[in-house]
Amino acid sequence: MKNCFTIFVLSFSILGNAQRIEKVYDANWKETTQANIRYYSVIVKKDSLWQRQNVYIPERTLQMQGSYKDSTCKIKHGDFSYFHSNKNLQETGEYVNDKKEGIWLRFHSNKMLADSAFYIKGKIKGAK
């Protein structure tokens, strides 16, 4: 499993060598030990935001990438993309101060569009 971590650390070198936080989680997104890891997360300070990437460990694929205003990753801010474990895009859109903003798209694992919505300050807007 240690080699797995080395691979992921090297694959995230694009984020630079700035302030860096690495964590591992179980299937319920609880911090865990190496025995029952499902997700690996790396958080890197870049300019005024904290960029986070989560990886599905068994599949060695990206689960999520996005930016936060804080190192604890509580305030989402910027473009976010979520992925199915088969590497296909699951959902994408933008957060502004932890609220969805603009167009959000959601896809099935077979790449077919599942849903789309337009948000203003976290609330869906559209036809009434």
Side-chain angles (χ1 to χ4, degrees):
M1 197 53 119
K2 186 151 177 78
N3 288 339
C4 184
F5 284 112
T6 304
I7 291 168
F8 290 121
V9 169
L10 292 175
S11 69
F12 293 119
S13 62
I14 191 169
L15 294 174
N17 294 326
Q19 206 169 356
R20 180 185 195 96
I21 301 167
E22 297 179 42
K23 296 182 179 185
V24 291
Y25 300 90
D26 65 15
N28 297 314
W29 285 100
K30 303 249 189 252
E31 282 191 59
T32 188
T33 63
Q34 290 187 13
N36 56 350
I37 295 173
R38 175 65 175 130
Y39 304 101
Y40 167 77
S41 181
V42 62
I43 306 158
V44 176
K45 174 83 172 192
K46 188 163 185 183
D47 299 323
S48 63
L49 297 175
W50 292 85
Q51 294 183 350
R52 180 174 183 168
Q53 291 184 324
N54 298 333
V55 172
Y56 293 107
I57 289 294
E59 296 86 354
R60 297 182 180 179
T61 61
L62 192 60
Q63 183 270 336
M64 185 278 297
Q65 63 183 10
S67 300
Y68 295 81
K69 285 190 164 186
D70 60 323
S71 63
T72 59
C73 296
K74 301 287 184 206
I75 305 169
K76 297 174 184 170
H77 193 79
D79 294 329
F80 271 72
S81 295
Y82 298 87
F83 299 89
H84 293 283
S85 59
N86 66 0
K87 300 182 185 178
N88 292 338
L89 185 63
Q90 181 177 20
E91 187 175 23
T92 188
E94 181 182 7
Y95 280 98
V96 176
N97 292 319
D98 207 37
K99 294 184 182 191
K100 289 183 175 182
E101 191 71 30
I103 296 173
W104 275 77
L105 302 173
R106 200 166 33 131
F107 299 88
H108 295 289
S109 61
N110 65 0
K111 301 183 183 179
M112 296 295 294
L113 183 65
D115 194 9
S116 64
F118 187 82
Y119 289 83
I120 297 176
K121 296 182 181 177
K123 297 187 181 192
I124 294 178
K125 299 294 178 185
K128 294 183 180 186

